[in-house]
Structure formats: structure tokens, C-alpha cells
Amino acid sequence: MDTSSNSFPRRVTRQIHVGDVAVGGDAPISIQSMTTTKTSDVEGTLQQIYALAAAGCDIVRCTCNDTAAAEGLARIVPRSPVPIIADIHHQYRMALAALEAGVEGLRLNPGNIRKPEHIKAVASECKDRGIPIRIGVNGGSLDPELYEKYGGKVTPEAMVESAMIELAFFDEVGFDDVKISVKASSVPLMIEAYRQLSAATDHPLHLGVTEAGPLPGGMVKATAGIATLLAEGIGDTIRYSLTADPVEEAKAGRMLLEAMGLRERKNVDLIACPSCGRAEIDVIKVAEEALVAFGEREIPLQVAVMGCVVNGPGEARDADLGIAAGNKRGHLFIKGTNVAVIPEDEMVDALVEWADFIMEHGVDRALAKADLTAAKIAAEADRDALLIEQGDDANHSESKVDLIRKI
Ligand code: SF4
């Protein structure tokens, strides 16, 4: 596999549009989330939508569970910075009301709206208006008939069949502006369901682990499911379903896509060594301070915080910029080259200053500005001093082994 691009080849899907956001085909993988406010609370919902958009969310879903919610949507949609999808469960009339409100997409749960005439009425209306539908199969609310058919179990086959039955109803009215999800709270189940679905259809797929739960477990589950499929080239749009502020969902989605090379980096990629007996600073504390200092600033550089000058610059030589701790001071390095010596308590400020300089002038100018010789001499002196002090066995493992052998 070619890892030079740090990306994964995607399966070919057809493309649909949710408002002005393309989903599927060669469109970038989009990030979705869902508001937690009452949709009838127009100002509260818009506030959340704006926060989600600022965190990188491309499409936002709001529940449309009653007439007050549909009326709220009519007021929210024209003021939203991103396309709005209405989430419909039991009442097909709410889908029609949401369309009247001007939403850019619908999500229907085939387990909850089962009458063919209702499904077809909604699909026909969407067809006339050019509005896409997500068929949102959910393991927890699978059509009871399919549940029985598959032996009283939610299986990948049952979930895929549910989606295919819904597609067939849409087909009867000539509607195919569709994306599909087959979410489950079990990671192995959702992975297999999406694999089978991807083999069965070229409609774009919306990935998610439903009801993943609170942090940190929810984040781990959602990442395990979504990342596994993305690495196989499956998935066109994603949602983290966390029991947390939805802004965390949008951030997690963005961070995952950035980490997998599937979305251009917007903020600092902070890497840090795990620390060990050789560390000259509290790496966790400094890394946390650096994370706060860079915050949401648009600095798409990789920045390293390394615990010692013995191995730090080498281990993080691909980072654009980094700091490695020496004897009561930090050694700032750019692309593995030591460029400055910084007092211990100024390390984080120095990282931010040099990151700003690189963003404005580039790496070459930053290297040219540095006193490379003085920085190199200081770094080597600290490195040698640490090696003399700690030897090659910074964790004192070998001396412990010697003691054990004498017992
Ligand atoms: S050797 Fe240095 S850089 Fe590597 S983990 Fe230990 S402290 Fe961090």
C-alpha cells in the first residue's frame, strides 16, 4: 500500500447533494451531527448549529417530532450556515411538514415508518422538490418482521435487507436521491453491516456507531467502527453519536478525518512523547499547556513536545516544529534541526511564536533566522550531560535486573 499520501482509496459511490454539500463520489467526506435542543427553540437550536459549524460540522440534523418542531425548522433553515436535515421517526406527516419548512434533507427510519403508501408519499414529495433522503436503519429499531425472520436477532443481513426494502419502495416512485446508514451500537455488527451494504449498493453511505455512549468509551467505540470502515474505503459522510455536547461530535469527526489524511488539517497536530525515565520535564503538563495555547487557531503544523533532548528531536524529526527538554531549558527544533535554546518556563510561548513565524514566512526563513551553530552546541552539551548522568539505561532497568539476579 502506498502510504506516502497518508490516505486510503475510497470505494466509488454515486453523488448526491444535501443543500450545497456534495456527499459521495469524489466529494470530501463530510461531518454531521445532531442538535440536542428542542427544535421549537429556534434561537437555542441556531446557537448550537453555529457552534457545530464552527467546529467543522458540514451538515446538521434536527429532530422533527411534532408540529412545533416543523414550525421551528421553517425559522431555522433560512438562518442556518449549514444544510439542515430533519430526523423523522414515526410520523410520515412530519416528513411532509419538514419539507414544507424547507429542509435540505430527510432521515427516515424504515423500522418506524413501515406503511408502503406513507414511504412512497414522502419519496414522491422529495423527488418533486429535489431533496435527498437518508435511509437510516438502526439495529435497535429494526423492522419487527425482519427481526423475526432472522431468528429474533439483529444481524447485518437483516439490517441490509431493511435498507433494500426501503430502496425498492423508493424505486417504485422513481426516487433514488438516497444515502444509507446501517448503524448499531455493536462495533463488529455495524462494521459487517456496512461491508455488506457497500457490496450491495453504490449509494453513498453515512457511517456511525449508534448510541456509542459517554466519553471516553463512546469515542473509542465510534472511532473503532468508523475508522475501520474508512480504512477500507467505505463511507462518504460520518457522525459520532456521543453522549456529550454535540460540538464534541463535530470535533471528533474532524480529528479522525484529519488523522487519517482524509481532510485537510485546520489546526495544530500536537504530538508528544509518552515520557519515560529520561524525561527532563513533565511532558503531560507541557503538552496540555501547548494544546490550550494553540487552541482552535488555524495553524496546520505538526508540533512536537518531547521529554528529552537525547531522543526527542530525532524521534520527532518529521514534525514541523518541536521542543525537547534539556538541562533546565528547552531545545526548539524545526524539522529535526535545533534552532534555539529556551528557558524552561518559556517553552510553550516559544512554540507558539515560532509556529506563527513559520506560518508567515515558511520553514526556510525560520531556519535562516536561527543561530544554528549555538543551538546545536547547546543541544549537544545537554545531550552529552544527560547521557553521562543517566547512561543508556534511563529507567535503571539493567541495575534492577542485576539486583534481581542477586536475590
Ligand atoms: S527517550 Fe526522551 S523523547 Fe523518548 S519517551 Fe523518553 S523522554 Fe520522551
Side-chain angles (χ1 to χ4, degrees):
M1 181 187 165
D2 174 21
T3 54
S4 58
S5 65
N6 288 325
S7 198
F8 303 91
R10 283 171 65 190
R11 302 219 181 163
V12 179
T13 53
R14 62 177 86 175
Q15 192 169 83
I16 66 165
H17 286 83
V18 181
D20 58 1
V21 177
V23 178
D26 60 0
I29 294 170
S30 47
I31 296 167
Q32 304 202 24
S33 182
M34 187 166 175
T35 50
T36 55
T37 49
K38 297 281 180 207
T39 312
S40 53
D41 171 7
V42 173
E43 296 308 321
T45 304
L46 273 168
Q47 217 169 39
Q48 214 169 54
I49 292 169
Y50 268 90
L52 285 168
C57 197
D58 301 298
I59 299 169
V60 173
R61 185 160 42 115
C62 304
T63 187
C64 185
N65 54 336
D66 55 23
T67 306
E71 288 174 8
L73 284 173
R75 296 183 177 99
I76 289 164
V77 171
R79 293 170 59 194
S80 171
V82 292
I84 298 294
I85 292 180
D87 194 53
I88 311 293
H89 276 268
H90 298 275
Q91 302 155 277
Y92 86 103
R93 286 188 187 284
M94 284 302 114
L96 301 178
L99 290 172
E100 280 306 331
V103 295
E104 282 98 346
L106 291 181
R107 179 270 169 128
L108 297 186
N109 181 336
N112 291 342
I113 299 178
R114 293 200 293 279
K115 285 195 176 152
E117 61 271 28
H118 291 170
I119 297 167
K120 287 191 264 185
V122 174
S124 288
E125 195 60 36
C126 282
K127 185 184 171 195
D128 292 347
R129 292 171 183 262
I131 298 296
I133 295 179
R134 168 160 67 96
I135 300 175
V137 178
N138 190 318
S141 53
L142 190 66
D143 182 334
E145 282 179 28
L146 284 169
Y147 187 76
E148 289 310 315
K149 177 179 169 184
Y150 284 89
K153 277 196 302 202
V154 179
T155 65
E157 292 77 12
M159 293 170 73
V160 172
E161 190 171 333
S162 175
M164 290 307 179
I165 291 170
E166 193 88 343
L167 264 184
F169 286 134
F170 289 177
D171 201 37
E172 284 181 36
V173 294
F175 178 73
D176 67 353
D177 197 3
V178 174
K179 57 190 164 71
I180 310 177
S181 62
V182 280
K183 298 186 188 179
S185 53
S186 153
V187 173
L189 175 61
M190 66 73 80
I191 288 174
E192 185 52 27
Y194 276 105
R195 282 176 179 155
Q196 291 186 15
L197 184 64
S198 175
T201 176
D202 68 349
H203 283 285
L205 302 186
H206 165 125
L207 303 185
V209 174
T210 194
E211 296 126 20
L215 304 173
M219 185 81 82
V220 173
K221 275 192 264 179
T223 303
I226 296 170
T228 300
L229 289 160
L230 289 177
E232 294 176 14
I234 297 172
D236 302 283
T237 183
I238 64 171
R239 186 217 169 173
Y240 271 72
S241 301
L242 303 174
T243 313
D245 183 334
V247 168
E248 297 304 320
E249 298 188 351
K251 280 188 194 166
R254 199 184 75 216
M255 286 167 82
L256 176 66
L257 294 182
E258 287 178 356
M260 295 184 76
L262 292 166
R263 189 168 175 131
E264 215 170 292
R265 180 162 290 289
K266 193 170 145 216
N267 310 112
V268 158
D269 175 21
L270 189 80
I271 62 170
C273 79
S275 190
C276 72
R278 211 185 275 294
E280 287 289 296
I281 51 167
D282 182 344
V283 178
I284 297 171
K285 182 168 164 275
V286 175
E288 281 174 356
E289 284 172 3
L291 209 53
V292 171
F294 283 110
E296 292 294 309
R297 293 190 58 198
E298 295 194 11
I299 300 178
L301 300 177
Q302 189 176 63
V303 176
V305 173
M306 308 300 281
C308 75
V309 75
V310 176
N311 295 334
E315 286 176 6
R317 74 170 64 84
D318 289 333
D320 296 296
L321 171 69
I323 198 103
N327 186 13
K328 304 273 175 240
R329 54 191 180 175
H331 294 268
L332 210 127
F333 57 90
I334 292 175
K335 294 284 184 192
T337 301
N338 286 90
V339 295
V341 184
I342 313 287
E344 192 173 354
D345 56 355
E346 292 174 20
M347 288 194 298
V348 172
D349 289 345
L351 275 177
V352 175
E353 271 168 38
W354 281 77
D356 282 337
F357 188 91
I358 291 174
M359 287 302 294
E360 202 178 331
H361 304 290
V363 164
D364 290 344
R365 283 273 305 277
L367 287 170
K369 144 181 151 131
D371 184 350
L372 299 181
T373 313
K376 190 168 176 234
I377 291 169
E380 278 173 5
D382 276 358
R383 189 174 189 279
D384 291 344
L386 276 175
L387 281 170
I388 289 164
E389 191 185 309
Q390 300 178 342
D392 286 332
D393 182 18
N395 290 323
H396 310 294
S397 305
E398 294 313 312
S399 53
K400 287 177 193 158
V401 167
D402 282 345
L403 283 173
I404 290 166
R405 285 185 180 153
K406 284 177 191 147
I407 291 173

